Each structure stands twice: as C-alpha cells, then as structure tokens.
Amino acid sequence: MAPVLETRGLVKRFGGLTATNDVSFRLERGGRHALIGPNGAGKTTFINLLTGVLTPTSGQILLEGKDVTHSRAELRVRRGLARTFQINQLFPAMTPLETIGLAVSERMGGGRDWWRVTGSKREIVDEIVDIARRFHLMDILDERTSNLAYGKQRLLEIAVAFASRPKVLLLDEPAAGVPEAERHELLATVAALPRDVSVLLIEHDMDLVFSFADRISVLVNGALFTEGTVEEVSNDPKVKAVYLGESVYE
C-alpha cells in the first residue's frame, strides 16, 4: 500500500547550514509514527517543510501520492494535512465552543460568518459536541481559552486540528509544558485518536512515544539516523550512543 505521506531526498539549506539532509521518509496509512532526536536535530524544520511553512532546497513531498512540494500551506490543509505547534496558536479571548465552531465552519465553507453558520446548522452543532467529548472539553466549552489549564489548551489545539478532518495529523511536542497532573488525560486522548487519521508525533517525552507509536524514526543533525519498531529503536546501541550524557531519549 502506498504511504499517505512521503518525502524523497528532502534537503533544506540555510546558507551554509544543512538543516534537513537527504531525508526519505514514509508515513503509512493509519500509522502511529514518532520522530525523535536530540535538540537541534532538525525535527521542527522537517515538520515546517511538510506543512509548507518552509520550501525545500531540493527533494519531494508527496501527500497521498500527489506532489505537494511547492503547494501553499492552506492547500495542504485542504488536502488533509493538519498540524499542531510547540507553542499553541489559540485565540485567548475565545471559548472552546467558539474555537471549535470556527474550525468546523471554516472547513464547511462558512468561516466568515461562522457565528451564524454554527447556530443554524445542526450537523455543525453535533460535530462540535462530538469533538468536545472526544477531547474532554465539554465541561469548559464556555470558558475563555486564556483561563483554561494548560493541558486543556493543548487538547483544544489538537481538537482544532482534528476538526479539519485530516488524513495526516502532525503533532509537534503536544506534551511540552503540560504539568504532570494533566499529562495522563492528554496521553490517553492522543492514544485514542481514530485510525483513519495517520499521525506523525514529534516528541521528547518517551512515555508518550512508547504509549503511542508503532514505528520510530530518529533524526540526528538533519539526517535520518535509523528507524524501526519501538522495541528495535529503544534497544539500538547506536541510538543510545547518540543520547549519551542526556537522559536516554531527551
């Protein structure tokens, strides 16, 4: 079966610095794939290339077999590629109800008049409720986002990405900054995402990686160092050597 997302020989240079070095990568349909690596390995640059924030120096990006290497970011979203960010991109004065409603209405073509469309279409209301339940947001739907616990803000950001009905969801360090007391809910919610959404997780937190991933790729100095199953990568002495002097997968 063809991968849902693929890169071929992907390179990104910033002057004399090669941030992404000949990366060929496959995300299988329905996959749960983690991308790990030391700080500065090039993980976020790679995600920015996938999503159209950056343009590669050379190489290809294919989404469901179609070349999107030079497609605009918004076109990639329409084709089914969604992401979250290390630092959330939410509107602090809006509520989860308004935020999810805006995302659903935008997908249905009513973004400009989302407040009117949301209240007038039963299918939008039903979808908002379904998403809010999935992401454990029902009891805070009318709270200002700025007042939410940080773990809830992270869940809301994933919910917004999920509302676009992605085929591929890129989660860029979703547990970053989330207090220990709130992490279990986030971990369980990420693990329960439906299998019709293929997920690439970029993460330092190996509890999240091990509870979620079927396959792991290790990026070092912008290049693909190794990849395999969770067991293969966690027992690979080369991987342990890369992290020597840090906590094993920091």
Side-chain angles (χ1 to χ4, degrees):
M1 184 180 296
V4 66
L5 180 67
E6 182 179 9
T7 69
R8 297 176 181 172
L10 202 62
V11 174
K12 180 60 181 179
R13 296 191 183 95
F14 298 97
L17 173 66
T18 301
T20 303
N21 188 5
D22 194 29
V23 174
S24 294
F25 168 85
R26 293 165 60 98
L27 174 62
E28 301 300 335
R29 199 172 299 275
R32 296 291 183 265
H33 202 126
L35 181 66
I36 67 171
N39 289 328
K43 301 183 296 295
T44 296
T45 297
F46 182 63
I47 294 303
N48 286 338
L49 291 168
L50 294 179
T51 55
V53 175
L54 295 173
T55 301
T57 304
S58 61
Q60 282 185 298
I61 303 166
L62 298 112
L63 180 60
E64 293 198 307
K66 295 183 173 59
D67 192 328
V68 297
T69 310
H70 300 288
S71 298
R72 298 188 310 275
E74 60 269 26
L75 181 58
R76 300 185 201 202
V77 173
R78 292 193 191 103
R79 288 184 172 176
L81 181 64
R83 74 171 291 182
T84 64
F85 294 82
Q86 288 182 21
I87 300 173
N88 76 54
Q89 306 289 305
L90 301 169
F91 298 106
M94 293 176 66
T95 67
L97 174 62
E98 292 167 336
T99 304
I100 298 170
L102 174 59
V104 174
S105 297
E106 178 65 28
R107 193 195 75 235
M108 294 184 174
R112 179 177 296 179
D113 298 323
W114 65 270
W115 61 91
R116 185 179 301 114
V117 174
T118 297
S120 63
K121 292 192 175 181
R122 183 68 199 180
E123 64 269 25
I124 294 181
V125 174
D126 289 345
E127 186 169 346
I128 292 170
V129 170
D130 180 68
I131 292 171
R133 284 194 180 123
R134 178 183 292 278
F135 289 93
H136 310 286
L137 300 169
M138 283 296 291
D139 58 339
I140 54 167
L141 273 178
D142 294 320
E143 297 278 345
R144 281 172 59 102
T145 295
S146 59
N147 295 335
L148 301 182
Y150 193 63
K152 292 293 187 182
Q153 292 185 26
R154 300 299 279 183
L155 283 170
L156 177 57
E157 188 178 19
I158 301 172
V160 169
F162 184 80
S164 70
R165 290 191 179 172
K167 298 179 178 72
V168 175
L169 180 58
L170 309 178
L171 300 178
D172 194 353
E173 298 194 33
V178 177
E180 188 66 31
E182 300 170 38
R183 285 165 44 78
H184 176 74
E185 184 176 52
L186 187 143
L187 295 177
T189 304
V190 169
L193 287 168
R195 279 280 174 173
D196 60 352
V197 180
S198 307
V199 182
L200 176 60
L201 174 74
I202 298 83
E203 189 52 66
H204 284 287
D205 186 322
M206 295 310 293
D207 288 338
L208 179 51
V209 168
F210 287 145
S211 68
F212 180 78
D214 300 325
R215 193 164 184 83
I216 298 176
S217 296
V218 183
L219 204 63
V220 177
N221 295 326
L224 193 60
F225 184 69
T226 190
E227 63 180 6
T229 65
V230 170
E231 183 177 4
E232 288 168 345
V233 170
S234 63
N235 292 320
D236 189 332
K238 296 182 302 179
V239 174
K240 293 179 180 179
V242 166
Y243 289 94
L244 195 62
E246 305 180 67
S247 99
V248 177
Y249 288 103
E250 189 175 24

